[in-house]
Each structure stands twice: as structure tokens, then as C-alpha cells.
Amino acid sequence: MTVKIIASIKVNPEEQDALRTYLDVTTPLLEAAGGQVVQSFEKGESVVGELDFDRVMIVEYPNLAALDKVFKSEAYKAIIPIRDKAFTRYGISVIST
């Protein structure tokens, strides 16, 4: 059964090198696990409340094991310090299984 996640992110504009490094590492992880970005949105005007992100992406994985293959991998764990520089906000939630 497929699994979808929602990623709410805010890129750190002062850390473009970190962002490139993060994407260079994580894009192959995503592809190897069979994941794909199915939708990506830039934040528009807030109607109610303040939302501290600038982009939302919906990513689909073939199953929960594929999701774990990315986020529990040693390669992903190693890139977390770079991720924390590249983004000022980074949240992932499972939205369907």
C-alpha cells in the first residue's frame, strides 16, 4: 500500500550550498526507494494564523518500508546537520497509508 507524506519546509536563503548538498544526497535516496514528489506548492497568502514555511510538497512512496529506507538510512542520518543548515523549518508527516 502506498504511503504519502507532506513536507513543510522553509529554505534558509543564506545556506544555498547546504541546500545543494542536501538535495545531491537525498534525491538519489528518494529515487532508489521508489519515492516521487507528486505535488509541490509555494505558500500563498495566509488566511488564518501564521504559517512558518514557504513550500509544501507531497511525496509518495511505494510502502512504509520504502519511506523508512530513506529516513532511517545511514546516508540520511549523516546529512541531518547539513539539512539543519539548509532549512530553517523542516517537517515531515505521514498523511496517508
Side-chain angles (χ1 to χ4, degrees):
M1 175 185 276
T2 62
V3 174
K4 289 184 182 159
I5 64 165
I6 189 165
S8 303
I9 63 170
K10 187 171 187 178
V11 172
N12 183 348
E14 297 176 9
E15 292 289 347
Q16 293 299 306
D17 287 341
L19 178 62
R20 278 189 289 279
T21 300
Y22 178 81
L23 293 174
D24 286 347
V25 170
T26 58
T27 299
L29 291 175
L30 174 74
E31 291 170 353
Q36 64 178 352
V37 176
V38 294
Q39 289 185 294
S40 181
F41 306 95
E42 286 187 31
K43 182 184 114 182
E45 178 183 348
S46 293
V47 177
V48 176
E50 293 295 319
L51 301 174
D52 190 26
F53 60 83
D54 54 19
R55 179 167 295 279
V56 173
M57 292 177 289
I58 298 172
V59 183
E60 185 175 78
Y61 290 88
N63 51 48
L64 193 54
L67 174 68
D68 288 345
K69 182 178 179 182
V70 173
F71 290 100
K72 293 183 178 180
S73 71
E74 292 304 315
Y76 189 82
K77 290 175 187 176
I79 200 74
I80 289 173
I82 301 297
R83 180 198 70 195
D84 292 347
K85 286 183 182 179
F87 301 95
T88 60
R89 167 131 172 41
Y90 187 90
I92 302 285
S93 298
V94 174
I95 56 173
S96 73
T97 57

